Amino acid sequence: MDLLSLRKSHLFYGWWIVLACGLVAVIGWSLSVFGMGVYIHALSETRGFSISLVSTAVTFSYLVNAACLMSVGTATAELGAKPVLATGVVALALSVAGLGYCHESWQLFGLFAVMGIGRSCLSTITISTTLAPWFELYQGRAVSMALLGASVGGMIGTPLLLGGIALLGVKQAFGLAGLASTIVLLPVVILVLKRSPQELGLLPDGGLKAASIGIQQAKWSHNGAMRTRQFQSQLLAFALAMLVQIAFLSHHVPIVATILGDAGASTAVSLAAGAAFGGRVALARFADRIDLRMTTAVVLLLGTVALAYMSNATSAFSLLLASAMYGVTIGNITTLSPLIARREFGAVSFGSIYGLIAAAIAFATAFGPVICGLLRDGLGSYGPPLLMFAGINLIAAGIIVWGGRKPMPQPS
């Protein structure tokens, strides 16, 4: 699309960037975040690995992801999204396809490490940093809309993976998933994405003069940001909340499969993802004019109730209801974290500062799957770890409110 065509069009090109990022989220989340439960279930059932061993490999994947995130945020801000996202597409595809050939524990850890690299390159920080130059007044709506793709990935990814395994077997299903993700995403990354609206002779938000204010903001240093209560509370609250979320998502299939079976587990995951989609739609509608910290606290309290309820659930209905309740929180927690950082630290500092926050969050959350797996194997059920995670969510809600009770300082 040339510059003349853009000027004649009524659609700001930034919304095409949102659509491309949404497609990245669909495939990235379906094969990494939501796919983890399928990998734990399938590899333990068909390859003889214990749940705790595969959970440890998943945790290792998230540790690799955490180690890469700070560099990913900076690289996206400095080099643009294309090389970062292209690297993520290839790494994720190779790791998923390789899991079908995995028979040894060293292969398991190696492939999940590559998956961690891919996940970091297709992460929330990459998507949010890609969108940051394009929107100022509508940044909340843009990020929320792009991350709707994560919920779509949850709705379609798990059923497709489980259905593919049932129809074709693990090796063929995982290989086809890796190939399809490459064919779909690489052309979008290469042909659609642009670095900034200025590259096309445009302004953020489609040329609104007010949006150019964000370009004049002073830039936060790492040390200056880290001393603020806002930074500290964001990091700690979302680290706890995402530890819970990743633990739950990684074990969602085995949590419910005992009662619901594989088909019912697929329904539960899709139901949770559908609820996450609905929550993200609501957030996209109001994100630019609500108190994001209080909204986060409410969402975390809902997650507390859902997890406590699921810890004692013994029927199909109660498991599906609890899955849907927690699903509402999944999308919003993932989306609210970059939105708060973007609002409090500004566009010009976002990639660098949120890279720090996201890396620390990812490092903490990496331990969620293995903690859940070890507790489940040690205690014989998922009830106790789910109840513990409910309490962690409650603590996170208090921290995020505490962090907003002091005025935001200005960068020096």
Side-chain angles (χ1 to χ4, degrees):
M1 184 178 289
D2 58 27
L3 183 56
L4 181 60
S5 300
L6 281 169
R7 285 175 174 168
K8 289 181 178 179
S9 173
H10 293 294
L11 180 65
F12 174 48
Y13 193 82
W15 296 112
W16 290 107
I17 306 294
V18 170
L19 184 61
C21 288
L23 186 59
V24 168
V26 170
I27 294 178
W29 264 257
S30 66
L31 294 183
S32 60
V33 178
F34 290 99
M36 292 300 189
V38 176
Y39 307 145
I40 290 174
H41 182 62
L43 293 173
S44 63
E45 291 288 325
T46 65
R47 297 293 190 264
F49 297 122
S50 69
I51 286 180
S52 58
L53 178 64
V54 185
S55 299
T56 303
V58 170
T59 286
F60 182 60
S61 178
Y62 281 111
L63 287 173
V64 173
N65 168 60
C68 294
L69 274 179
M70 191 186 307
S71 298
V72 163
T74 302
T76 306
E78 294 182 356
L79 303 177
K82 284 186 181 182
V84 176
L85 289 173
T87 300
V89 171
V90 173
L92 182 61
L94 289 175
S95 62
V96 172
L99 286 176
Y101 298 85
C102 183
H103 292 277
E104 304 290 338
S105 58
W106 67 267
Q107 297 171 331
L108 189 72
F109 280 83
L111 289 167
F112 273 112
V114 176
M115 187 178 292
I117 296 172
R119 171 164 161 69
S120 69
C121 293
L122 305 178
S123 63
T124 300
I125 184 172
T126 310
I127 290 173
S128 301
T129 305
T130 300
L131 293 172
W134 291 88
F135 298 94
E136 182 65 33
L137 299 179
Y138 304 129
Q139 54 92 14
R141 183 179 302 177
V143 173
S144 298
M145 289 178 65
L147 291 178
L148 287 174
S151 300
V152 175
M155 287 188 281
I156 67 174
T158 298
L160 286 175
L161 284 172
L162 289 174
I165 291 169
L167 185 63
L168 304 172
V170 170
K171 185 184 297 184
Q172 290 78 9
F174 288 175
L176 184 60
L179 178 63
S181 65
T182 305
I183 292 173
V184 172
L185 281 185
L186 274 185
V188 172
V189 169
I190 294 170
L191 299 176
V192 177
L193 294 181
K194 309 291 182 184
R195 289 193 64 171
S196 70
Q198 288 79 16
E199 182 179 332
L200 300 174
L202 302 171
L203 289 174
D205 296 302
L208 294 173
K209 293 182 180 179
S212 65
I213 293 172
I215 302 172
Q216 308 300 324
Q217 293 172 343
K219 190 170 183 178
W220 282 89
S221 68
H222 285 177
N223 288 337
M226 290 169 65
R227 285 195 294 266
T228 66
R229 179 187 290 192
Q230 285 75 14
F231 180 98
Q232 296 162 7
S233 60
Q234 284 180 48
L235 191 156
L236 185 55
F238 284 107
L240 293 173
M242 289 301 297
L243 181 148
V244 171
Q245 183 176 126
I246 295 303
F248 175 82
L249 292 177
S250 298
H251 288 267
H252 194 185
V253 171
I255 285 172
V256 300
T258 303
I259 294 176
L260 299 179
D262 284 0
S266 178
T267 300
V269 173
S270 296
L271 190 62
F277 183 89
R280 276 195 172 109
V281 168
L283 184 62
R285 177 72 176 82
F286 301 105
D288 295 308
R289 54 179 187 272
I290 59 175
D291 185 327
L292 294 176
R293 284 180 175 268
M294 290 305 299
T295 302
T296 302
V298 171
V299 169
L300 288 170
L301 291 175
L302 176 61
T304 298
V305 173
L307 291 169
Y309 181 46
M310 182 175 283
S311 70
N312 292 300
T314 56
S315 68
F317 174 78
S318 58
L319 285 171
L320 291 174
L321 178 59
S323 295
M325 289 172 62
Y326 190 76
V328 174
T329 77
I330 291 172
N332 283 332
I333 291 301
T334 306
T335 307
L336 284 162
S337 175
L339 288 184
I340 292 175
R342 173 64 174 76
R343 181 176 291 185
E344 295 182 348
F345 292 102
V348 296
S349 303
F350 176 79
S352 174
I353 300 305
Y354 191 64
L356 285 175
I357 294 173
I361 289 173
F363 180 80
T365 60
F367 294 96
V370 69
I371 290 171
C372 190
L374 291 172
L375 287 174
R376 183 266 177 197
D377 284 355
L379 300 174
S381 76
Y382 279 108
L386 286 173
L387 198 58
M388 181 188 75
F389 290 145
I392 293 174
N393 250 22
L394 187 62
I395 293 170
I399 292 171
I400 200 67
V401 173
W402 166 81
R405 296 183 66 84
K406 186 176 182 180
M408 183 71 184
Q410 295 299 311
S412 57

